[in-house]
Amino acid sequence: SLVFGRLESTHISRLHCGKEVIMSIGATSYLVIALIFFAFPDGSNWNRASLLSVYILLGVGRATYEGTLRAIFADFFPNEKEGAFANIILFSGTASTLGYALSVSGALECDEISKYCMEYSDNSIHNVLVMELVIIAMAIISIPSFWRAVWMFREEGSSDDLSNEILLIDGDDGGSA
């Protein structure tokens, strides 16, 4: 996203907020979407503005996932980028597979239409509350977990810098013999 690219950029110092804040905004977007559907599951009170807000939040979340997440993985794993990106694909594929399996296995089917049991276009009735709660839980867990990972990455980086300085002080300075 052009907006997030500008906010992440270090070239524009007064607007710079970093990748960490952008990732938190993306996770919060998904959390808000799930909360909207949790609060108004049947869609009877929806209008153009509410639908537009959901699409905007989906765009924000998707923009952070597609761009910023990959940039953060490249920063966190500079020497193992292939493995890092493979993990993104693995976890994304696993989540999609689990979602699909839950939806077609009958695990989410309901007997009758109710507040959180929606009728789909194929006339099957599914419990959407389970998926909403999973999204809410994952969004709530992901934000502090991500900030912990950032803290650990920075601590590891500062200890590597310190150990490199110690090696230069105690070891060979690279001068002539």
Side-chain angles (χ1 to χ4, degrees):
S1 145
L2 181 61
V3 174
F4 287 156
R6 290 285 193 178
L7 290 174
E8 291 175 18
S9 175
T10 57
H11 304 295
I12 304 172
S13 60
R14 64 185 174 150
L15 295 177
H16 176 70
C17 68
K19 295 174 195 149
E20 299 84 2
V21 173
I22 301 299
M23 281 299 297
S24 298
I25 290 170
T28 303
S29 295
Y30 283 119
L31 174 63
V32 170
I33 292 166
L35 290 173
I36 289 171
F37 281 98
F38 181 75
F40 307 106
D42 63 354
S44 62
N45 295 331
W46 288 64
N47 57 28
R48 287 183 185 177
S50 56
L51 188 61
L52 183 64
S53 67
V54 168
Y55 276 113
I56 289 170
L57 290 168
L58 282 170
V60 167
R62 190 74 178 160
T64 59
Y65 175 76
E66 290 298 334
T68 308
L69 177 68
R70 284 163 170 66
I72 288 172
F73 267 66
D75 291 346
F76 278 20
F77 305 101
N79 300 322
E80 301 170 355
K81 289 182 180 161
E82 294 84 5
F85 291 123
N87 273 308
I88 292 174
I89 293 168
L90 173 71
F91 287 114
S92 176
T94 302
S96 297
T97 301
L98 288 173
Y100 175 76
L102 283 173
S103 67
V104 299
S105 69
L108 301 177
E109 285 189 13
C110 298
D111 294 329
E112 60 185 45
I113 298 173
S114 65
K115 183 174 183 177
Y116 292 106
C117 290
M118 303 291 155
E119 184 175 10
Y120 284 26
S121 60
D122 65 352
N123 295 327
S124 61
I125 303 171
H126 293 270
N127 185 348
V128 295
L129 180 62
V130 174
M131 291 297 199
E132 291 168 4
L133 293 177
V134 167
I135 294 168
I136 290 168
M138 291 298 106
I140 289 172
I141 291 169
S142 70
I143 295 170
S145 298
F146 170 70
W147 281 98
R148 173 71 173 152
V150 168
W151 178 82
M152 290 171 61
F153 175 73
R154 288 180 180 159
E155 286 295 311
E156 183 179 293
S158 64
S159 67
D160 286 348
D161 292 343
L162 182 60
S163 65
N164 288 339
E165 288 176 19
I166 292 170
L167 287 173
L168 287 175
I169 292 171
D170 292 340
D172 183 17
D173 63 358
S176 61

